[in-house]
């Protein structure tokens, strides 16, 4: 059920994986790279983003065969950067590359009443920023499980998919219990993006079992813990201040906390 990590850099030649669902009365599928280019680093905590340089870097990844980009509505200018990038692909690359490029985004709304108009307004905003007629994938997250409004939101999202504004519907950071409820409501979920590494193997318990039974894929992030699982930090006790390289990005700081749990 695992697709692969969403990472900041990787080697060329990532094979394609297909995410698919036949729930809700219609089939939907999307071929993506097994290694995704994560765009959390555009959200502000890594410093100023030069948009032209960022787009050029995205183009270099796509040229190397790493043509799937993972972003969110709240990752700073990530969706806008994708819109700039995809237009550059349209102008400067052959049509075959355009067919291979994928833009996966996320919607993380406040837990307010999920009306059709509210959901559609937010989806349209992402479509406009990314400059696409249909989102390749919308990954949905919900902060408050005590509020069942996530089902209303997902039903509206599914309707928008049927209308051609979204190609595939997915989740991010949902737990196993809620994933099962969502599937039982006929929502055509193709994947759930969750944290997974040799330090944090929680998805291999109940979540992986449910995904095996239902065909939902897991897209994993934090696989190299923002770089903590690299030669740079080899033999370093990260719990001792100033004992090694600085933990100077939000991801390094986050995964230090994970490693301390």
């Amino acid at each position: 059920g695992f697709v692969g990590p969403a990472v900041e850099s990787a080697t060329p030649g990532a094979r394609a994986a297909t995410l698919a669902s036949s729930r809700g009365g219609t089939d939907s599928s999307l071929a993506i790279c097994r290694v995704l280019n994560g765009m959390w680093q555009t959200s502000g905590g890594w410093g100023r983003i030069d948009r032209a340089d960022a787009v050029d870097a995205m183009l270099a990844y796509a040229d190397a065969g790493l043509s799937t980009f993972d972003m969110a509505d709240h990752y700073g200018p990530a969706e806008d950067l994708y819109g700039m990038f995809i237009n550059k692909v349209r102008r400067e690359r052959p049509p075959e590359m355009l067919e291979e490029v994928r833009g996966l985004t996320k919607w993380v709304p406040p837990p307010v009443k999920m009306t059709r108009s509210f959901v559609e307004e937010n989806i349209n905003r992402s479509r406009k920023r990314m400059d696409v007629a249909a989102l390749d994938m919308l990954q949905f997250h919900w902060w408050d499980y005590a509020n069942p409004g996530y089902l209303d939101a997902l039903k509206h999202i599914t309707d928008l998919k049927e209308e051609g504004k979204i190609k595939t519907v997915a989740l991010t950071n949902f737990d196993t219990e809620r994933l099962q409820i969502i599937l039982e409501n006929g929502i055509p979920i193709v994947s759930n993006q969750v944290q997974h590494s040799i330090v944090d193997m929680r998805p291999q318990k109940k979540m992986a079992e449910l995904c095996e039974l239902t065909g939902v894929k897991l897209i994993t992030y934090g696989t190299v813990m923002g770089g903590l699982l690299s030669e740079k930090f080899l033999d370093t006790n990260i719990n001792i201040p100033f004992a090694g390289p600085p933990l100077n990005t939000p991801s390094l700081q986050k995964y230090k906390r994970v490693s301390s749990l």
Side-chain angles (χ1 to χ4, degrees), residues 49-75:
I49 298 294
D50 183 293
R51 295 195 174 203
D53 288 347
V55 170
D56 286 344
M58 294 171 73
L59 200 62
Y61 278 117
D63 285 337
L66 294 166
S67 54
T68 302
F69 297 85
D70 181 65
M71 67 209 81
D73 61 334
H74 60 287
Y75 287 3

Side-chain angles (χ1 to χ4, degrees), residues 180-206:
Q180 183 161 1
I181 291 171
I182 289 166
L183 294 174
E184 288 172 352
N185 276 267
I187 306 298
I189 299 300
V190 299
S191 64
N192 185 21
Q193 185 170 157
V194 294
Q195 182 172 290
H196 179 265
S197 69
I198 60 172
V199 174
D200 183 1
M201 303 180 75
R202 289 173 295 172
Q204 291 194 22
K205 299 177 181 178
K206 295 180 180 180

Side-chain angles (χ1 to χ4, degrees), residues 19-259:
L19 313 179
S21 172
S22 58
R23 297 175 192 85
T26 59
D27 293 334
S28 58
S29 64
L30 187 72
I32 65 172
C33 291
R34 287 188 176 273
V35 178
L36 280 60
N37 302 307
M39 296 182 68
W40 182 30
Q41 65 268 38
T42 68
S43 61
W46 283 259
R48 178 182 171 274
I49 298 294
D50 183 293
R51 295 195 174 203
D53 288 347
V55 170
D56 286 344
M58 294 171 73
L59 200 62
Y61 278 117
D63 285 337
L66 294 166
S67 54
T68 302
F69 297 85
D70 181 65
M71 67 209 81
D73 61 334
H74 60 287
Y75 287 3
E79 291 183 336
D80 301 303
L81 291 171
Y82 183 85
M84 296 167 62
F85 157 74
I86 200 68
N87 273 301
K88 198 162 189 177
V89 171
R90 289 166 181 153
R91 294 192 309 268
E92 301 180 7
R93 293 296 186 272
E96 293 78 17
M97 177 178 283
L98 188 61
E99 292 297 316
E100 295 176 358
V101 170
R102 300 286 183 266
L104 320 183
T105 194
K106 307 178 190 76
W107 182 41
V108 186
V112 297
K113 185 174 179 60
M114 292 289 114
T115 64
R116 160 71 189 227
S117 60
F118 180 76
V119 174
E120 185 171 18
E121 177 184 349
N122 281 274
I123 300 313
N124 284 342
R125 183 179 298 114
S126 289
R127 291 169 59 224
K128 182 177 181 180
R129 292 179 69 191
M130 296 173 69
D131 200 11
V132 293
L135 302 177
D136 288 326
M137 177 187 288
L138 182 72
Q139 302 167 94
F140 177 73
H141 179 66
W142 190 252
W143 292 105
D144 182 12
Y145 290 148
N147 180 342
Y150 64 90
L151 287 173
D152 295 326
L154 284 164
K155 288 173 182 176
H156 294 313
I157 288 169
T158 301
D159 289 341
L160 292 169
K161 173 188 172 297
E162 296 304 314
E163 294 169 18
K165 294 185 176 182
I166 301 168
K167 294 180 182 178
T168 52
V169 179
L171 304 173
T172 182
N173 291 325
F174 266 82
D175 67 5
T176 305
E177 180 182 348
R178 255 54 60 164
L179 173 59
Q180 183 161 1
I181 291 171
I182 289 166
L183 294 174
E184 288 172 352
N185 276 267
I187 306 298
I189 299 300
V190 299
S191 64
N192 185 21
Q193 185 170 157
V194 294
Q195 182 172 290
H196 179 265
S197 69
I198 60 172
V199 174
D200 183 1
M201 303 180 75
R202 289 173 295 172
Q204 291 194 22
K205 299 177 181 178
K206 295 180 180 180
M207 177 68 70
E209 182 179 354
L210 177 61
C211 289
E212 287 287 346
L213 289 172
T214 60
V216 173
K217 300 294 186 182
L218 291 177
I219 297 177
T220 63
Y221 68 88
T223 307
V224 294
M225 299 182 70
L228 281 181
L229 298 181
S230 68
E231 291 183 357
K232 183 177 181 179
F233 290 91
L234 190 64
D235 297 325
T236 297
N237 187 339
I238 60 174
N239 293 312
I240 301 176
F242 310 111
L247 303 177
N248 55 1
T249 69
S251 57
L252 286 171
Q253 294 161 13
K254 171 183 177 177
Y255 294 117
K256 177 188 180 296
R257 293 192 296 271
V258 170
S259 69

